Amino acid sequence: MATKILMVCLGNICRSPLAQGILEKKVDPKKIIVDSAGTGGYHLGKPPDPRSISIALKNGIDISGQRCRKFSPQDFDRFDHIYAMDRSNFRNIIAHATNKTDKAKVRLLLDALGSKNQEVPDPYYDDNDGFEKVFALINAACDALAAKL
Ligand code: 4NP
């Protein structure tokens, strides 16, 4: 059975679509299935932010087909690992956990780099530099994850 991974941020239009696209590119799709969601529901059904689409394309990844959805408590049953981009997302996800097994599935994405409590900053109100930085952070974390999976 494939391992199922969910990337979660707030809006599901900037960071987690990038995390999904980046990790998908590094793993065997028969073994690892990646999805993303947001804890907020502001942009449901929308494609990723143009700045995320653009930085991904610059790096050979097409995320334009993704559509925004909200994190659901049922995601605990559907996914083996849930990676939050920041501590606020982490707390919002954990608030829906009903048992220890659910809780154990949730991690901060950047924990994969061996750091503790580090966040992928929200780039929504940033300029393009913010997206470059976010891409580099997520890319490094996904390299570490792909090596472990
Ligand atoms: P994301 O960024 O959580 O990385 O998708 C955001 C996108 C939209 C909003 C906030 C963060 N928003 O408030 O609409």
Side-chain angles (χ1 to χ4, degrees):
M1 262 246 289
T3 300
K4 297 194 179 123
I5 292 180
L6 184 65
M7 302 294 193
V8 181
C9 61
L10 174 61
N12 191 214
I13 56 166
C14 297
R15 292 166 291 177
S16 59
L18 277 175
Q20 177 184 342
I22 290 169
L23 187 60
E24 277 175 343
K25 191 86 178 197
K26 297 182 192 292
V27 298
D28 178 348
K30 287 196 227 72
K31 294 192 188 142
I32 313 282
I33 292 167
V34 193
D35 192 15
S36 66
T39 55
Y42 323 115
H43 307 273
L44 300 181
K46 296 275 162 45
D49 187 285
R51 296 165 295 176
S52 281
I53 292 178
S54 165
I55 188 79
L57 268 187
K58 233 172 106 178
N59 289 276
I61 303 169
D62 182 4
I63 62 167
S64 64
Q66 292 186 33
R67 292 295 176 267
C68 172
R69 77 168 177 91
K70 193 166 190 281
F71 175 80
S72 146
Q74 272 125 38
D75 286 323
F76 281 113
D77 303 324
R78 298 193 199 112
F79 293 92
D80 302 298
H81 303 288
I82 300 173
Y83 292 107
M85 299 300 127
D86 64 34
R87 290 188 286 270
S88 166
N89 313 145
F90 182 91
R91 281 192 300 272
N92 285 329
I93 299 163
I94 284 282
H96 293 287
T98 54
N99 55 55
K100 277 189 186 164
T101 311
D102 286 357
K103 277 189 189 157
K105 292 182 179 184
V106 193
R107 296 255 184 289
L108 280 173
L109 179 68
L110 296 190
D111 283 3
L113 293 175
S115 48
K116 282 268 176 309
N117 261 341
Q118 295 301 304
E119 304 183 297
V120 180
D122 182 348
Y124 190 58
Y125 296 103
D126 280 358
D127 53 17
N128 287 335
D129 274 3
F131 282 77
E132 298 268 0
K133 187 176 167 208
V134 157
F135 186 95
L137 278 173
I138 294 174
N139 192 46
C142 287
D143 272 336
L145 276 189
K148 273 198 283 182
L149 286 165

